[in-house]
Amino acid sequence: MSMAQRFTRTLSGFALLALVACAPTPHREGTGEYIDDSIITGKVKAALVADPELKATQINVETFKGTVQLSGFVSTPEYIPKAVALARKIDGVKSVKNDLLVR
């Protein structure tokens, strides 16, 4: 086998490995999904910050495959559905998991 063939095979093997490593699984996001989820998380945080009644610094936002998880604290029970509704309005959000508590 020539040096060029060996190099081509090695390079092809690395390319295949890189593609497999970035492939999504049920418990892991692909690169594109990770970027999309990061954008969703940022938009949800911005919506929470824009609401003067919610203390956005006390609400954590995580997104995995379009599912947003809200956790942390709000000051009154009425703010929980408000925060969930704000998250649901964001494009790309498939569902919202609510783990907010009243403090």
Side-chain angles (χ1 to χ4, degrees), residues 44-82:
V44 171
K45 286 181 179 182
L48 296 173
V49 167
D51 190 297
E53 295 177 329
L54 296 174
K55 295 180 183 174
T57 58
Q58 295 183 5
I59 300 175
N60 300 311
V61 180
E62 294 182 29
T63 308
F64 181 73
K65 295 189 175 190
T67 298
V68 174
Q69 179 180 5
L70 300 176
S71 61
F73 302 98
V74 293
S75 55
T76 67
E78 295 81 28
Y79 292 162
I80 293 174
K82 185 174 190 175

Side-chain angles (χ1 to χ4, degrees), residues 4-102:
Q5 287 176 326
R6 207 174 302 160
F7 177 74
T8 302
R9 285 188 179 180
T10 302
L11 188 59
S12 297
F14 282 128
L16 181 62
L17 181 63
L19 287 174
V20 170
C22 293
T25 67
H27 302 288
R28 193 179 79 205
E29 297 173 302
T31 305
E33 288 173 317
Y34 178 80
I35 293 169
D36 293 344
D37 286 345
S38 296
I39 292 169
I40 291 170
T41 298
K43 288 180 178 181
V44 171
K45 286 181 179 182
L48 296 173
V49 167
D51 190 297
E53 295 177 329
L54 296 174
K55 295 180 183 174
T57 58
Q58 295 183 5
I59 300 175
N60 300 311
V61 180
E62 294 182 29
T63 308
F64 181 73
K65 295 189 175 190
T67 298
V68 174
Q69 179 180 5
L70 300 176
S71 61
F73 302 98
V74 293
S75 55
T76 67
E78 295 81 28
Y79 292 162
I80 293 174
K82 185 174 190 175
V84 171
L86 284 172
R88 283 192 176 129
K89 288 182 183 178
I90 303 301
D91 285 339
V93 173
K94 296 177 183 173
S95 65
V96 178
K97 183 175 184 226
N98 173 20
D99 291 327
L100 293 170
L101 302 170
V102 177

